[in-house]
Amino acid sequence: MFVKIHAGAIVGIDAASVVVEVNITGGGLGMYLVGLPDSAVKESEQRIRAAFENSGVRMTGRKVVVNLAPADLRKEGASFDLPIAVGILAAMERIPVEAVEGTLFVGELSLDGSVRPVRGVLPIAIRARELGLRRIVLPQENVSEAAVVEGVEVIPVDSLKMLIGWLMGEMEIAPAQVVAEEPFETIVGRYDEDFADVKGQQQAKRAMEIAAAGGHNVLLVGAPGSGKTMLARRLPTILPPLTQDEALETTKIHSVAGKTGFAGGLMTRRPFRAPHHLTSQVAVVGGGQSPAPGEVSLAHNGVLFLDELPEFGRSVLEVLRQPLEDKQITVSRAKYSVIYPANFMLVAAMNPCPCGYYNHPTKECTCSSGSVHRYMSRISGPLMDRIDLHVEVTPVSPSALSTATSEERSAVVRERVIRAREIQSRRFAAVPNVHTNAMMNSALLREYCQLDAATAALLERAMDRLSLSARAYDRILKVARTIADLAGREQIETSDVAEAIGYRSLDREGWGR
């Protein structure tokens, strides 16, 4: 008997339709799996046989041919166990064929017949809706991901025996529904940290506000314990809350990566990724033998924090240059090529020298000028050019830490950031793929960053004195545009450009010499 079962395969952060074709004939023995399966898919035969035996189902002794169509799309992972098993059951006439029509199946089988969770369920559920299917059958642990997709019934199963009973009409399984305790609009953007926790550091806070308002990249330079990490971890709290579309896209990426460590469907917080400096290049950009999103994609719509920046491998840092410009990463290997989104804000932190106390107000630096210069030169010029704001973070005095003065809360700062982002949304409404000042190209800079004679002369003098590159020139204009937006000004003023130039501290002559 011949049977077709709907399944799905992950391609990038989306899903492709896969049809599991099962044919059982009288001639021959064994099970043959074709359609470009990887090792995990090929091993499904042994898992399915053991699951059948432990679920009280007798496996057919006739020849079973399973084709995963289309044959030119590589199939990876154990998520095809369940659709293959259902196809064999239908071809054996153990379950009615009518019961599997209009249904997509996804899940991994254990040897005891239980159904294990898999990654990438959310994009597969979206694909099922696009195909016009009525429902999707999946593991119980993946319910919260798939149930956010409207228009498709989500049927959770714990075991193959339970699934057979439901398909035979012997038991009922109620479609899963996400019942949120609070509406999405209420809980989105709720964080445990707050900018009010940071004492002092007014200049650094101002720089973080500008970065959040314009989507700019930031480098924090300061002595150990000066508050660099504390500031970085609170940057998401002043960013605009995730929209429904952003939350769905962000959740898809984490679903494909198998990192959905949240309960109740969509992610409500902007991602904050902080990989260790020993992280490999593949882990940062994505890829691998079985392609998966890297840290730059897991930080999409959020923040990528690189602490101890000079300690990262040179190849890891240099590979960030392309996604910082293009807001996506293309991973090409011999057997595949995928595109992952990577629209993140880069926040990096580093000490000013090997001992950490160069330019410290009270402690003496023990490093030679040559060692300071070598330490700073671990960050290449092209990468430094792509970081809009260089911020010196000075230690806070003990008296300032002990004062009871209240600091500005994240909610207050976030309101100013949202107003500046709304100005940018109106400005770039007709420009595709540009949403913030940091994403402006040369044509948009000429249109929206026009300077008067005095302001242009100031910027020219800074270019000559600091030996800035053309890219750094553009970065200063973008930051100045954001400063003007925060102030609600249509025209960029001299003070805006002067402040933006002040955030190029590592371009100053004499640093580390």
Side-chain angles (χ1 to χ4, degrees), residues 450-474:
Q450 298 178 7
L451 306 179
D452 57 35
T455 306
L458 171 65
L459 184 51
E460 288 177 10
R461 289 195 299 272
M463 291 289 295
D464 293 336
R465 181 176 178 182
L466 302 178
S467 299
L468 299 178
S469 67
R471 183 178 284 114
Y473 178 89
D474 290 348

Side-chain angles (χ1 to χ4, degrees), residues 214-217 327 388 424 436-440 475 478 482:
H216 302 289
N217 303 316
K327 305 303 181 183
D388 305 349
Q424 296 165 58
T436 61
N437 290 331
M439 303 173 72
M440 285 191 291
R475 301 285 172 179
K478 293 176 182 179
T482 300

Side-chain angles (χ1 to χ4, degrees), residues 217-459:
N217 303 316
V218 189
L219 174 61
L220 303 173
V221 184
S226 57
K228 302 184 297 296
T229 302
M230 194 174 189
L231 284 164
R233 291 192 176 277
R234 281 153 182 78
L235 178 58
T237 68
I238 63 173
L239 290 172
L242 283 170
T243 64
Q244 284 275 3
D245 291 340
E246 288 178 330
L248 181 61
E249 185 180 32
T250 305
T251 307
K252 280 173 61 177
I253 298 171
H254 286 249
S255 175
V256 169
K259 299 183 181 297
T260 50
F262 51 90
L266 293 179
M267 296 179 67
T268 58
R269 298 181 181 182
R270 290 192 178 273
F272 181 88
R273 304 294 301 182
H276 191 267
H277 60 259
L278 295 180
T279 302
S280 68
Q281 179 177 328
V282 172
V284 171
V285 301
Q289 185 175 0
S290 296
E295 293 291 340
V296 296
S297 298
L298 293 172
H300 181 66
N301 291 325
V303 176
L304 177 65
F305 177 49
L306 302 183
D307 201 2
E308 304 296 344
L309 186 66
E311 304 303 326
F312 281 82
R314 187 65 175 252
S315 61
V316 174
L317 295 181
E318 294 308 301
V319 83
L320 292 173
R321 287 156 55 176
Q322 183 261 339
L324 282 173
E325 291 288 333
D326 299 341
K327 305 303 181 183
Q328 65 180 24
I329 183 77
T330 302
V331 181
S332 297
R333 298 290 185 269
K335 296 182 179 179
Y336 66 83
S337 179
V338 295
I339 298 176
Y340 295 120
N343 185 12
F344 59 91
M345 284 182 60
L346 174 64
V347 179
M350 61 181 291
N351 296 329
C353 67
C355 78
Y357 296 108
Y358 182 78
N359 279 353
H360 195 281
T362 59
K363 296 185 179 181
E364 183 179 356
C365 174
T366 61
C367 305
S368 65
S369 60
S371 63
V372 175
H373 178 66
R374 285 192 298 272
Y375 184 77
M376 297 300 297
S377 64
R378 294 183 186 179
I379 316 302
S380 69
L383 179 60
M384 197 69 77
D385 277 350
R386 287 169 169 81
I387 300 178
D388 305 349
L389 295 93
H390 307 161
V391 184
E392 291 185 71
V393 183
T394 57
V396 181
S397 64
S399 59
L401 290 174
S402 60
T403 56
T405 57
S406 60
E407 301 287 344
E408 200 171 34
R409 299 190 63 83
S410 293
V412 179
V413 182
R414 185 166 59 239
E415 287 301 318
R416 294 197 296 267
V417 170
I418 291 174
R419 287 196 296 270
R421 288 284 186 109
E422 288 174 349
I423 293 173
Q424 296 165 58
S425 296
R426 293 191 296 270
R427 177 183 298 141
F428 306 125
V431 184
N433 301 322
V434 176
H435 310 290
T436 61
N437 290 331
M439 303 173 72
M440 285 191 291
N441 55 31
S442 299
L444 294 174
L445 280 174
R446 289 193 299 269
E447 182 176 356
Y448 296 113
C449 298
Q450 298 178 7
L451 306 179
D452 57 35
T455 306
L458 171 65
L459 184 51

Side-chain angles (χ1 to χ4, degrees), residues 54-99:
N54 290 308
S55 300
V57 178
R58 183 182 179 86
M59 183 68 173
T60 180
R62 295 186 292 172
K63 179 181 178 181
V64 179
V65 179
V66 179
N67 178 44
L68 306 177
D72 61 345
L73 176 66
R74 185 168 179 81
K75 321 303 186 304
E76 298 180 331
S79 61
F80 293 97
D81 288 3
L82 201 60
I84 292 174
V86 171
I88 294 173
L89 289 170
M92 291 168 52
E93 300 183 354
R94 179 67 174 78
I95 58 175
V97 177
E98 298 78 13

Side-chain angles (χ1 to χ4, degrees), residues 58-140:
R58 183 182 179 86
M59 183 68 173
T60 180
R62 295 186 292 172
K63 179 181 178 181
V64 179
V65 179
V66 179
N67 178 44
L68 306 177
D72 61 345
L73 176 66
R74 185 168 179 81
K75 321 303 186 304
E76 298 180 331
S79 61
F80 293 97
D81 288 3
L82 201 60
I84 292 174
V86 171
I88 294 173
L89 289 170
M92 291 168 52
E93 300 183 354
R94 179 67 174 78
I95 58 175
V97 177
E98 298 78 13
V100 300
E101 293 179 353
T103 305
L104 187 146
F105 296 85
V106 58
E108 176 186 345
L109 284 175
S110 293
L111 300 184
D112 62 355
S114 60
V115 181
R116 296 172 55 84
V118 295
R119 63 186 179 95
V121 164
L122 178 56
I124 291 176
I126 294 173
R127 183 59 178 158
R129 181 181 63 184
E130 294 171 350
L131 293 172
L133 301 178
R134 300 195 308 272
R135 58 198 174 197
I136 176 173
V137 176
L138 43 66
Q140 178 70 49

